[in-house]
Amino acid sequence: MEKQIDSVNLHFNNDSLLALNICLAIIMYGVALDLKISDFKRIASIPKSALLGIFSQFIALPAITFILVYLIEPIPSIALGMILVAACPGGNISNFMTHLAKGNAALSVTLTAFSTLLAFIMTPINLSFWASFYPPTKLLLTEISLNPFELLKTIALILGIPLILGMLCNAHFPHIAERMQKILKPLSMLIFMLFVVIAFANNFDIFLDYFQYVVWLVLIHNAIALFTGYSVASIFSLSSEDRKTLTIETGIQNSGLGLIIIFSFFDGLGGMAIIAAWWGIWHIISGLIIGYVWSRTKIMAGAAT
């Protein structure tokens, strides 16, 4: 089965990769149009929630993902795909879902921005570090000879430059940024979702062929990611709004970035690509479900809501 799934070629060519790169860059630019330096400084005013969010995202989730991989022993490419998804920063749609769930929107924006900056360093480090502890993925990583500096450069181009340009526009042309943000942010999200749906439709037969191998893993992995964020926030008695935010920020991963890394550095390796592609679909569904449920209910809080 390993050779069979790794030989799978998704209908995802260079034009598709370019379109995904542009789409993610536009989304990041749209998010950055609403960011200010004060959003990063806000970490100093809410250090507990912000630091726990970063811990949940970049320390707890990759570590728990490694434990999951070690216990279920999936084939190497699928295991590496799971580790890569866990190593990516939070997805930009998390801000919308946090707002829907009546979470702490300001904290969500802060965590998205800060995790994007940290991703330049933490994504390559987490991928290399945790993959090296699991012998099958260590061997696979060695065979591919991943260059962490090239990976860092790719992340900087896709996330870093749009982030800087968007923030500069907001700082120097706030009225233009406000008008652009109102149009660009929802439009870019819609385009991204359409891209995901079309990509899924074009590869529907492949997903059906490997449904039993991949879908349940993503469901479990995503549920664990959501539970990790909620647990970290609950253990440290954060407010219900902050618990919602950490749950969503940890459970909504930038799988689009993961796909770009897979097709840029791993030659579209079948197991990795299918994991990241299905995660990109499922986390939208799970995020919308949990956001809708929380918008209608109140979670019991150990701290003031």
Side-chain angles (χ1 to χ4, degrees), residues 200-281:
F200 178 70
N202 289 339
N203 294 278
F204 187 67
D205 55 336
I206 295 174
F207 281 101
L208 285 181
D209 289 339
Y210 297 97
F211 183 90
Q212 68 271 32
Y213 302 115
V214 173
V215 171
W216 68 274
L217 278 176
V218 172
L219 297 183
I220 293 172
H221 192 195
N222 182 242
I224 288 175
L226 292 165
F227 183 72
T228 297
Y230 185 83
S231 297
V232 169
S234 297
I235 289 170
F236 289 92
S237 302
L238 297 187
S239 68
S240 63
E241 288 80 9
D242 286 3
R243 269 187 264 175
K244 293 175 182 179
T245 303
L246 262 66
T247 300
I248 292 170
E249 288 295 322
T250 309
I252 305 300
Q253 295 296 91
N254 196 332
S255 55
L257 175 63
L259 278 173
I260 289 173
I261 291 171
I262 291 165
F263 281 94
S264 299
F265 295 94
F266 296 92
D267 198 26
L269 188 62
M272 293 184 76
I274 293 175
I275 281 287
W278 177 242
W279 182 288
I281 295 165

Side-chain angles (χ1 to χ4, degrees), residues 127-159:
L127 177 60
S128 300
F129 179 79
W130 292 111
S132 68
F133 276 97
Y134 186 57
T137 53
K138 180 181 180 180
L139 179 61
L140 186 58
L141 211 57
T142 302
E143 291 174 353
I144 294 171
S145 299
L146 177 67
N147 187 330
F149 296 104
E150 287 297 317
L151 177 56
L152 189 151
K153 184 171 73 174
T154 298
I155 296 172
L157 286 172
I158 297 168
L159 301 181

